[in-house]
Amino acid sequence: AQKVTQAQTEISVVEKEDVTLDCVYETRDTTYYLFWYKQPPSGELVFLIRRNSFDEQNEISGRYSWNFQKSTSSFNFTITASQVVDSAVYFCALSDPTGSQGNLIFGKGTKLSVKP
Amino acid sequence: DAGVIQSPRHEVTEMGQEVTLRCKPISGHDYLFWYRQTMMRGLELLIYFNNNVPIDDSGMPEDRFSAKMPNASFSTLKIQPSEPRDSAVYFCASSTSPETQYFGPGTRLLVL
């Protein structure tokens, strides 16, 4: 069965520190998508990134970067030089190809607190 | 472009009452999803539609829950009768492909 594990329940850092959020997934399928979403204190879910299982290139977007490693079934998210505005709950998700229509399987989330 | 619109943003009701949550997807999106978020269970898919047709409702908890999508720009999730354990944040999401879903702001429901 498909599963997403975010082992870090909460992380607290001081502003300007780098922080990595871990995500480990389980799937038997060869084709799937991985996602990261951000849920700030206001409650909405903000899409950050989608990664195809065939594309293992790391991606960088400003202070955000993602490291996808199929060998370890991990899709980790790093925030460089964290800021207070990065404080949020971050969810990793896996698309469920057995449903073939994009049922997202979410991890439990990692709550990141960035202190000034 | 406007994002996914949900209403109401907050709903407080008493046990036994009917609750209707509403969602307007992003224009042009042909997939619509309803999720529920609770502390205990996290984010769970309840049901999703493609081209207004329900595709998978296996996540709907019980017969008290029903969802409709009468047209491409509107969907409802109804709970009748509501119970305290239905208290949660309900999200609607839409997409053009089944993979990348864009979420609305959510409806925070409290059933007393």
Side-chain angles (χ1 to χ4, degrees):
Chain A
Q2 285 79 13
K3 184 180 178 182
V4 176
T5 302
Q6 295 181 255
Q8 304 149 308
T9 305
E10 292 192 40
I11 299 176
S12 183
V13 299
V14 177
E15 206 170 21
K16 297 185 183 178
E17 283 185 23
D18 298 347
V19 58
T20 296
L21 310 181
D22 298 332
C23 173
V24 174
Y25 62 92
E26 295 176 27
T27 180
R28 293 181 180 178
D29 296 284
T30 57
T31 302
Y32 51 89
Y33 291 90
L34 294 162
F35 304 81
W36 277 95
Y37 284 85
K38 173 183 180 180
Q39 187 173 38
S42 50
E44 71 272 24
L45 278 160
V46 180
F47 167 77
L48 295 178
I49 189 172
R50 180 184 87 174
R51 173 62 69 211
N52 184 306
S53 58
F54 294 109
D55 182 3
E56 289 193 69
Q57 282 191 346
N58 292 332
E59 179 149 346
I60 298 175
S61 176
R63 295 183 298 106
Y64 295 172
S65 62
W66 291 268
N67 181 268
F68 176 33
Q69 292 194 351
K70 287 182 76 171
S71 61
T72 55
S73 297
S74 65
F75 186 43
N76 297 338
F77 173 30
T78 296
I79 302 175
T80 303
S82 59
Q83 299 177 1
V84 173
V85 294
D86 296 329
S87 296
V89 179
Y90 291 86
F91 291 94
C92 181
L94 168 72
S95 66
D96 177 7
T98 61
S100 72
Q101 298 295 339
N103 181 9
L104 288 180
I105 299 165
F106 283 87
K108 295 297 186 185
T110 296
K111 183 177 181 180
L112 174 65
S113 299
V114 182
K115 311 276 186 216
Chain B
D1 287 337
V4 175
I5 298 172
Q6 291 186 248
S7 64
R9 294 293 308 278
H10 302 272
E11 177 81 25
V12 180
T13 191
E14 292 187 349
M15 182 175 63
Q17 296 298 307
E18 177 178 294
V19 175
T20 298
L21 310 182
R22 297 173 176 81
C23 175
K24 176 178 170 56
I26 294 171
S27 178
H29 284 192
D30 53 1
Y31 286 88
L32 185 138
F33 305 80
W34 282 101
Y35 287 85
R36 179 172 66 177
Q37 184 180 34
T38 61
M39 289 295 293
M40 290 297 293
R41 300 174 68 90
L43 275 158
E44 302 173 283
L45 177 70
L46 299 177
I47 185 173
Y48 75 89
F49 297 82
N50 180 214
N51 291 320
N52 312 336
V53 176
I55 303 299
D56 183 358
D57 65 354
S58 59
M60 296 286 262
E62 47 196 275
D63 292 345
R64 298 184 297 106
F65 286 70
S66 63
K68 293 181 179 179
M69 192 165 185
N71 57 62
S73 59
F74 184 65
S75 176
T76 60
L77 178 67
K78 186 175 294 186
I79 308 172
Q80 167 63 19
S82 58
E83 296 182 2
R85 60 193 168 117
D86 301 330
S87 298
V89 181
Y90 291 82
F91 286 100
C92 176
S94 72
S95 65
T96 54
S97 70
E99 290 82 20
T100 304
Q101 300 172 23
Y102 296 90
F103 285 74
T107 294
R108 190 173 297 272
L109 173 65
L110 177 62
V111 183
L112 302 174

